[in-house]
Amino acid sequence: MATYDLIIREGTVVDGTGKERFIGDIAMKDGLIAQVGAITGDATQEINASGMIVTPGFVDVHTHYDGQATWDPEMAPSSWHGVTTVIMGNCGVGFAPAAPDRHEWLIGLMEGVEDIPGTALAEGMKWDWETFPEYLDALEKLPRTVDVGTHVPHGAVRAYVLGDREKPGAVPTDDDIAKMGDIVEEGVRAGALGFSTSRTVIHKSVDGELVPGTTATAEELISIGKAMARAGHGVFEMASDLKREWNEFDWMGKLSRDTGLPVTFAALQSIAKEMPLDEQIAAMRAENDNGANIVAQIALRGNGIVMAWQGTVHPFRFRPSWMAISDLGWAEQKAKLLDPVFKDQLLAEENDFTGAPQDLIHLFMVIVNGWSAQFEMDPDFDYEPSAESSIQARAEKAGIDPQEYAYDLLCRDDGKGFIYLPILNYQDGNLDFLEALQASDDTVNSLSDGGAHCGTICDAASPTFMLQHWVRDRKRAAARNSGKVSLEHAIKRQCRDTALLYGLEDRGLIAPGYLADLNIIDFDRLKLGKPWLAFDLPAGGKRLLQKADGYVATIKGGVVTFREGEWTGATPGNLIRGPQQVAMLEAAE
């Protein structure tokens, strides 16, 4: 009988500690790493990784697979990009607890906030739960390619407690807040890794209503944090506009100090945030200097919109001619769009913002005529594009109007052209500001939004982008001989640091006793593919997808789940219930 289940031979091991890479073997047994180094034993299966890098599986702490995880064992697109652990239920949206008469309301909240087709959620979810512990039990029934962890979401908790009283601006009673705390405590004791809320006007239900957490008081939020503390663990996660008058960092600091728990928030350059990013970081650090534990989640590229005719958003969304055909099938729409008469008619029109939310008009203006901030997505697209590659610059070079250039671009490839609009994290036209943040212990790489923003964003590929762009290819770094990130540091950031934030001490390192979650990567061949729109969600729901070349194999719990980007059909992933410890074992002889 073989000594081990699987041995990876002669790989360049980047172990997640941040220490220098080394050549070695990795042996796995019963889902755990059994030995690292020169291994003489045999195995049921061996993989020669000579010339490849071997990393821990990536841990993505900001996803929205809350519905998809109940029906989809593959968990794409995150699983296509070396991710072996996802944490979902972020931004205060999710599907438990769920009173039977609130299903449609919760779907509308998720659809509005995260752009996940409501029809797909309605058809895909079976709702064989009501309480949060019952939701965890339902998740546990389905095997999948990755491990999943959860937050208890504020929106669902408020809706469960307040019922029909949950309206924008609703003020819960002391008894309501106590009941919310009990639900959160119950969920965390059952295995949730934390609690999440959202306090940004960009996050609205499909009916245009603010999400429940937006108007919550500091007292309500701190009370819920104390409920987590009674359960003994948990991360408090938040997205916020960070208005100065709200004093968000004051209550975040108090919550963390009073409970001893970490608080984490989305830190971005954003037109919706009153506080500039450097001020956000400074305010966080002032609280941390006073005993708090606040961690900023940062994205490594411009968070933006991928615009297409069939996507959720494109520059001509508010033209009357488009609105007249917006409900037609794609074949009819395409015929119109490729008609020169229709094109001339549409381009001659003004935008009509009637009925559009007034607090988002500034964003809409960037979408419909921000040509200097929009970029053509070439086959070898650089996600840190220069001004010379903008729609504005390319149109001027071609001698045509920018709106006509954009229209023709979207019509390319049989109407499947894409335009990239980084609305967040790109106000300087580069990513230089992220260099120092990646070296900071009070930040984590995050905000992929895997599983969400199906018609507008494709950032689940963030781990691949980190390696391809920040470690290997960053062009702007070459001119300054700086600005890149070492491979060892990048892997630590995406594996060990993210895992430890959520108390998952059993993963993110390549060492005996840790989960056998690994990637084998042909680093020279690593490359993001072109995004495409698929209509493969339940009820034909659409989603933007993006694959990558270079992932030779992804391994979850010692089982190969993907080979050269293709799913093997294996589903060794589990539900994570609470913080995890490292297994104590003796290395096999």
Side-chain angles (χ1 to χ4, degrees), residues 183-394:
I183 289 172
V184 172
E185 181 181 354
E186 177 188 48
V188 172
R189 288 189 185 279
L193 296 177
F195 168 84
S196 73
T197 192
S198 173
R199 296 162 64 73
T200 170
V201 297
I202 291 179
H203 285 172
K204 296 181 178 181
S205 74
V206 73
D207 296 323
E209 293 188 346
L210 292 172
V211 299
T214 309
T215 56
T217 64
E219 290 73 22
E220 176 182 340
L221 299 169
I222 291 173
S223 178
I224 289 172
K226 289 180 177 178
M228 274 202 299
R230 293 197 298 269
H233 71 272
V235 176
F236 192 108
E237 185 272 338
M238 179 187 69
S240 173
D241 290 337
L242 298 174
K243 291 184 179 296
R244 291 189 178 92
E245 66 192 66
W246 292 354
N247 296 318
E248 299 282 61
F249 288 98
D250 288 356
W251 70 256
M252 282 194 279
K254 177 175 172 53
L255 188 156
S256 180
R257 284 188 293 270
D258 288 354
T259 64
L261 300 177
V263 177
T264 184
F265 72 102
L268 293 158
Q269 288 182 344
S270 170
I271 59 176
K273 295 186 189 297
E274 187 175 303
M275 298 175 69
L277 181 59
D278 57 355
E279 187 177 340
Q280 298 170 36
I281 299 300
M284 173 189 75
R285 289 174 175 165
E287 293 296 330
N288 288 345
D289 289 343
N290 195 27
N293 180 13
I294 306 175
V295 179
Q297 295 190 19
I298 62 170
L300 294 188
R301 74 183 187 194
N303 294 82
I305 300 171
V306 177
M307 299 192 287
W309 288 127
Q310 291 182 278
T312 301
V313 177
H314 57 73
F316 308 102
R317 170 67 181 80
F318 298 99
R319 303 290 178 102
S321 290
W322 168 262
M323 288 188 276
I325 68 168
S326 61
D327 292 330
L328 299 179
W330 171 237
E332 294 176 276
Q333 285 181 342
K334 184 172 68 172
K336 286 284 189 181
L337 292 166
L338 298 180
D339 179 353
V341 175
F342 180 87
K343 171 187 170 181
D344 290 344
Q345 172 184 301
L346 182 145
L347 293 181
E349 295 171 344
E350 298 292 330
N351 292 293
D352 182 359
F353 296 116
T354 302
Q358 292 303 299
D359 52 2
L360 297 180
I361 289 296
H362 180 66
L363 171 61
F364 294 152
M365 292 302 295
V366 177
I367 290 171
V368 301
N369 60 20
W371 308 119
S372 62
Q374 299 182 21
F375 303 91
E376 178 177 350
M377 296 192 75
D378 302 314
D380 295 317
F381 184 65
D382 183 345
Y383 283 90
E384 191 174 4
S386 65
E388 292 75 20
S389 60
S390 69
I391 299 295
Q392 180 77 40
R394 291 193 174 182

Side-chain angles (χ1 to χ4, degrees), residues 33-276:
I33 296 171
Q35 191 174 351
V36 180
I39 297 171
T40 56
D42 60 352
T44 303
Q45 181 183 7
E46 294 197 8
I47 300 175
N48 186 333
S50 178
M52 313 294 176
I53 63 169
V54 184
T55 77
F58 301 141
V59 178
D60 189 339
V61 300
H62 196 108
T63 75
H64 294 278
Y65 289 106
D66 309 75
Q68 187 177 333
T70 69
W71 74 71
D72 177 19
E74 186 176 5
M75 294 293 285
S78 290
S79 59
W80 296 343
H81 294 275
V83 174
T84 53
T85 299
V86 302
I87 298 174
M88 56 199 193
N90 288 278
C91 300
V93 288
F95 299 111
D101 64 348
R102 301 299 273 177
H103 293 177
E104 185 176 340
W105 187 90
L106 290 171
I107 288 174
L109 188 64
M110 181 69 80
E111 182 175 13
V113 173
E114 302 299 341
D115 188 27
I116 301 173
T119 52
L121 294 168
E123 181 168 310
M125 289 190 293
K126 303 307 178 189
W127 295 104
D128 50 346
W129 65 84
E130 179 170 338
T131 68
F132 198 88
E134 289 169 349
Y135 173 66
L136 294 182
D137 292 342
L139 287 173
E140 205 162 34
K141 294 175 185 177
L142 180 68
R144 52 184 69 81
T145 60
V146 302
D147 282 352
V148 297
T150 61
H151 295 90
V152 182
H154 199 181
V157 172
R158 261 200 166 213
Y160 196 77
V161 171
L162 298 183
D164 291 338
R165 288 184 291 134
E166 176 45 58
K167 304 288 184 183
V171 179
T173 66
D174 289 345
D175 184 55
D176 292 332
I177 293 174
K179 288 178 180 177
M180 284 189 250
D182 290 342
I183 289 172
V184 172
E185 181 181 354
E186 177 188 48
V188 172
R189 288 189 185 279
L193 296 177
F195 168 84
S196 73
T197 192
S198 173
R199 296 162 64 73
T200 170
V201 297
I202 291 179
H203 285 172
K204 296 181 178 181
S205 74
V206 73
D207 296 323
E209 293 188 346
L210 292 172
V211 299
T214 309
T215 56
T217 64
E219 290 73 22
E220 176 182 340
L221 299 169
I222 291 173
S223 178
I224 289 172
K226 289 180 177 178
M228 274 202 299
R230 293 197 298 269
H233 71 272
V235 176
F236 192 108
E237 185 272 338
M238 179 187 69
S240 173
D241 290 337
L242 298 174
K243 291 184 179 296
R244 291 189 178 92
E245 66 192 66
W246 292 354
N247 296 318
E248 299 282 61
F249 288 98
D250 288 356
W251 70 256
M252 282 194 279
K254 177 175 172 53
L255 188 156
S256 180
R257 284 188 293 270
D258 288 354
T259 64
L261 300 177
V263 177
T264 184
F265 72 102
L268 293 158
Q269 288 182 344
S270 170
I271 59 176
K273 295 186 189 297
E274 187 175 303
M275 298 175 69

